[in-house]
Amino acid sequence: MRDILDCESRAISNIPVTPAYDEAVRLILEHVHRRGGKVVTSGMGKAGQIAMNIATTFCSTGTPSVNLHPAEAQHGDLGVIQPNDVMLLISNSGKTREIIDLVSLAHNLYPGLPLIVITGNPDSELAAIADVTLSTGGSPEVCPLGLTPTTSTTMMTVIGDVLVVNVMRLSGFTRREYALRHHGGYLGSKSRADES
């Protein structure tokens, strides 16, 4: 257990910190908080589950976001995209065919739509067409087969957290606004108690 924790901790420490994070946050603030668009996240398989998590975390912290399944996009769900949106796409390989196809479809709809990509392969086809590429660092999976998305999905989640927290800070999101979005459960009651 300690070896697995150490491997994942090292992988987090090795995520490349680059100016691309500032640019990604700037794009989100510009398109969502200034132009009234939203963040559209997407990924396939395990990466898609991380994309969904990032979308819901953005929503709960004042940045409208929706997750778009790349396969369903080809059957009408592409219509959720609007001209002022920004796309946040996740693919560890940077070669996921459904995501590459989604980019083509989205750009046919709105050619100027900006793309932020989280990937373990910054030299990939997806990274090449992105406006901003955030690399996970490409650490090997802790799975004994070296195949199951484990370390890579941890990195994707952490990068999503970095984006969410920095957008929260720069948009001035407050406890009161948090409480307005959380009416039920422990976090709802805690946010209202902290406010009073």
Side-chain angles (χ1 to χ4, degrees):
M1 179 178 173
R2 177 54 59 189
D3 287 346
I4 294 169
L5 292 173
D6 288 345
C7 285
E8 296 238 347
S9 296
R10 281 194 302 273
I12 291 171
S13 297
N14 289 329
I15 293 174
V17 177
T18 71
Y21 282 93
D22 293 332
E23 179 60 14
V25 169
R26 186 197 69 76
L27 279 173
I28 294 167
L29 288 169
E30 174 64 27
H31 283 263
V32 181
H33 292 275
R34 296 194 183 99
R35 299 189 191 181
K38 61 186 174 297
V39 177
V40 179
T41 70
S42 192
M44 197 70 193
K46 304 297 185 296
Q49 294 171 0
I50 303 304
M52 172 70 82
N53 178 62
I54 293 171
T56 59
T57 306
F58 265 128
C59 282
S60 69
T61 55
T63 298
S65 184
V66 64
N67 185 66
L68 175 61
H69 193 288
E72 296 294 344
Q74 298 189 32
H75 297 272
D77 284 8
L78 191 70
V80 77
I81 298 175
Q82 296 172 300
N84 289 325
D85 294 346
V86 57
M87 297 194 77
L88 175 59
L89 307 175
I90 307 178
S91 168
N92 192 43
S93 69
K95 302 173 184 178
T96 307
R97 180 47 46 198
E98 294 88 348
I99 297 296
I100 302 292
D101 290 347
L102 175 60
V103 171
S104 177
L105 293 169
H107 278 166
N108 283 341
L109 192 61
Y110 299 114
L113 203 69
L115 307 174
I116 301 167
V117 167
I118 299 174
T119 184
N121 185 0
D123 299 318
S124 63
E125 180 181 357
L126 186 60
I129 57 178
D131 295 280
V132 178
T133 299
L134 304 174
S135 172
T136 64
S139 295
E141 307 289 8
V142 295
C143 159
L145 303 176
L147 298 171
T148 308
T150 46
T151 308
S152 61
T153 51
T154 301
M155 303 306 99
M156 295 167 185
T157 300
V158 169
I159 291 171
D161 288 346
V162 170
L163 295 177
V164 167
V165 170
N166 279 303
V167 170
M168 284 176 70
R169 287 175 174 158
L170 291 173
S171 67
F173 189 72
T174 65
R175 283 182 179 271
R176 181 178 181 280
E177 291 170 316
Y178 191 93
L180 288 171
R181 288 162 177 79
H182 290 78
H183 297 280
Y186 170 75
L187 289 179
S189 60
K190 184 176 190 308
S191 61
R192 285 187 294 278
D194 289 347
E195 187 189 12
S196 54

